[in-house]
Amino acid sequence: MKGFEYLQAELDEMKQQGTFRTLIPLESDQASRVVIDGKELIQLSSNNYLGLTTHPRLVEASIKAAEKFGAGTGSVRTIAGTFTMHEELETKLAEFKHTEAALVFQSGFTTNQGVLSSILTKEDVVISDSLNHASIIDGIRLTKAARKVYNHVDVADLERALKESADYRVRLIVTDGVFSMDGNIAPLPEIVELAEKYDALVMVDDAHASGVLGQNGRGTVNHFGLDGRVHIQVGTLSKAVGVLGGYVASTRTLIDYLIQKGRPFLFSTSHPPAVTAACIEAINVLIEEPELIDKLWDNAKFFKKGLEDLGFDTGKSETPVTPVIVGDEALSHQFSDKLREYGVFAQGIAFPTVAKGQARVRTIVTAEHSKEELQKALDIFEKAAKELNILK
Ligand code: PMP
């Protein structure tokens, strides 16, 4: 059919520049090893930090919920699609995050969009870290609020932006808790101090910190002992939690407001019983099996040290997200291809996801990996890097 030649031209250009993405389907479950094209590979590209995607307790909870309550919910939450289990999950999340209330959205992405687009008007200003996630950027685009961007994790630059913002009704600072491409942690104590000094609100996106940092994986706010001092905590149920969805944990007022005004919440059907029940069970697992988080960190330290001992540049990583920075865009893809040929699935990430000249292979180890798997992966990284002259 004719009509999309203008899009095809752009795609052809992307193919020429090597930025065209192809999807790589898994033929197995999402675990420490995955099957791609009939070949078993060590998985270092998923966000399945604790291995919960295949945890028997979550799978059983899903099956039981589907059998008892069906496959779908048949409505948005505000009409006929709120089941008791949705509220049970939200109560659990609020308790877990030490907040008054919580609300679940369809994804982490729509949570950021829903929160940012509904609570700010043109009388307000939003002040955002330059490396915040795309969903925060899109959420900000949906508001009529003024926008300021401060240099990545630069609290002096944040203070400059706050000083310029005295005349607005509300100043909202928004930051990722853990940055997804570098694995560094936001300087939250300093951000909170500045927020208190300049009478600003703070919103943290803990997508990569929930289930990873803080007591039982409560996130960056708890990690820094800042419970009660951060106004809005957003997170995802799709990474360490192992399932699907997003949530916001905050005051009763904010949650009640989002139930009235959060557009993705209002106009999109609620999560099926199997998803919701698995999320509830995941929170139980976080509380009852803290050894999973210990294992995650033990593995992350082992793997990062192994990479550094080999001479790789792992950037500013402080968490299980560990980039292996190679710089050149094409080289990052060649490196990833070679890793895959030798048995490791670790995706190359290049511009525009990261800055030009900062291309990398991003790795995330999980609690599920054995030390043998990680050592094998390190050997493969060394071999592939030497062949490509990344390592001498
Ligand atoms: N925020 C951050 C920081 C993320 O890394 C992601 C996941 N890519 C999201 C939000 C979106 O979460 P979800 O995948 O649940 O939509």
Side-chain angles (χ1 to χ4, degrees):
M1 194 189 287
K2 277 191 179 296
F4 296 123
E5 295 77 8
Y6 72 109
L7 297 181
Q8 191 58 48
E10 200 179 320
L11 292 177
D12 292 344
E13 171 113 12
M14 286 178 181
K15 282 180 189 163
Q16 235 173 15
Q17 290 175 353
T19 57
F20 182 83
R21 293 167 200 247
T22 43
L23 303 178
I24 303 173
L26 305 188
E27 295 152 16
S28 63
D29 55 4
Q30 180 65 278
S32 65
R33 285 168 184 263
V34 289
V35 179
I36 293 172
D37 271 342
K39 188 172 162 189
E40 194 178 69
L41 305 170
I42 299 171
Q43 168 65 296
L44 289 178
S45 278
S46 86
N47 299 307
N48 182 26
Y49 289 100
L50 300 174
L52 295 195
T53 55
T54 52
H55 194 296
R57 284 176 62 178
L58 272 71
V59 174
E60 196 192 329
S62 271
I63 293 168
K64 279 195 174 150
E67 280 172 356
K68 185 157 181 209
F69 293 101
T73 63
S75 170
V76 299
R77 288 281 304 271
T78 45
I79 297 182
T82 295
F83 288 32
T84 51
M85 68 170 79
H86 292 119
E87 294 195 332
E88 190 190 335
L89 173 59
E90 287 163 349
T91 303
K92 246 183 201 308
L93 283 166
E95 276 169 20
F96 185 67
K97 287 281 179 177
H98 298 156
T99 60
E100 280 174 22
L103 193 67
V104 169
F105 282 68
Q106 284 71 13
S107 69
F109 202 103
T110 56
T111 311
N112 277 327
Q113 284 191 327
V115 172
L116 288 161
S117 65
S118 54
I119 66 169
L120 300 170
T121 72
K122 61 180 185 332
E123 293 173 75
D124 310 318
V125 61
V126 54
I127 307 173
S128 177
D129 185 290
S130 62
L131 290 191
N132 275 342
H133 189 256
S135 52
I136 295 178
I137 296 170
D138 284 12
I140 292 172
R141 285 183 182 148
L142 290 171
T143 78
K144 294 205 164 61
R147 301 149 198 194
K148 290 183 190 289
V149 174
Y150 62 94
N151 296 333
H152 180 51
V153 300
D154 181 343
V155 285
D157 199 39
L158 169 60
E159 183 158 24
R160 173 211 43 93
L162 282 163
K163 278 184 183 155
E164 291 170 11
S165 302
D167 293 340
Y168 292 97
R169 179 186 65 167
V170 169
R171 288 154 288 284
L172 176 70
I173 304 168
V174 55
T175 181
D176 282 9
V178 169
F179 290 87
S180 56
M181 293 301 145
D182 290 285
N184 56 324
I185 306 173
L188 210 50
E190 290 91 336
I191 292 175
V192 167
E193 268 183 33
L194 282 176
E196 288 170 356
K197 182 168 167 194
Y198 291 94
D199 187 26
L201 305 179
V202 180
M203 168 168 164
V204 175
D205 176 354
D206 254 348
H208 287 274
S210 297
V212 175
L213 282 173
Q215 187 202 18
N216 296 88
R218 284 180 165 80
T220 41
V221 173
N222 180 268
H223 168 75
F224 284 118
L226 295 169
D227 285 322
R229 292 172 69 191
V230 168
H231 303 78
I232 305 172
Q233 297 181 62
V234 163
T236 175
L237 300 164
S238 67
K239 298 187 194 295
V241 174
V243 196
L244 177 71
Y247 62 87
V248 48
S250 182
T251 63
R252 187 73 252 167
T253 301
L254 186 95
I255 299 305
D256 282 346
Y257 192 82
L258 291 173
I259 294 171
Q260 319 308 312
K261 304 266 188 172
R263 291 172 70 83
F265 178 84
L266 285 168
F267 297 114
S268 188
T269 296
S270 58
H271 275 168
V275 166
T276 309
C279 290
I280 292 171
E281 198 54 22
I283 307 300
N284 292 338
V285 169
L286 288 180
I287 290 162
E288 290 160 27
E289 299 182 27
E291 60 279 8
L292 285 174
I293 299 177
D294 297 341
K295 177 95 190 299
L296 168 68
W297 279 93
D298 186 44
N299 278 348
K301 283 178 188 152
F302 174 83
F303 192 66
K304 202 187 307 276
K305 181 169 186 313
L307 288 171
E308 284 165 1
D309 288 349
L310 286 170
F312 285 111
D313 175 4
T314 58
K316 297 173 285 193
S317 169
E318 304 169 82
T319 67
V321 176
T322 307
V324 177
I325 300 169
V326 298
D328 183 72
E329 329 266 288
L331 187 59
S332 70
H333 294 303
Q334 285 164 12
F335 191 24
S336 171
D337 290 346
K338 241 195 206 318
L339 291 167
R340 204 166 128 196
E341 188 187 326
Y342 294 141
V344 166
F345 185 45
Q347 288 269 42
I349 296 184
F351 181 79
T353 311
V354 293
K356 280 212 160 104
Q358 284 287 304
R360 62 201 58 198
V361 164
R362 186 187 62 160
T363 69
I364 298 180
V365 303
T366 73
E368 249 191 336
H369 287 103
S370 67
K371 286 277 158 51
E372 292 69 38
E373 281 171 334
L374 295 178
Q375 187 53 57
K376 188 170 170 207
L378 287 169
D379 295 343
I380 290 172
F381 264 82
E382 183 179 17
K383 181 173 161 177
K386 283 191 169 151
E387 283 181 25
L388 293 170
N389 276 327
I390 295 167
L391 289 179
K392 299 286 164 258

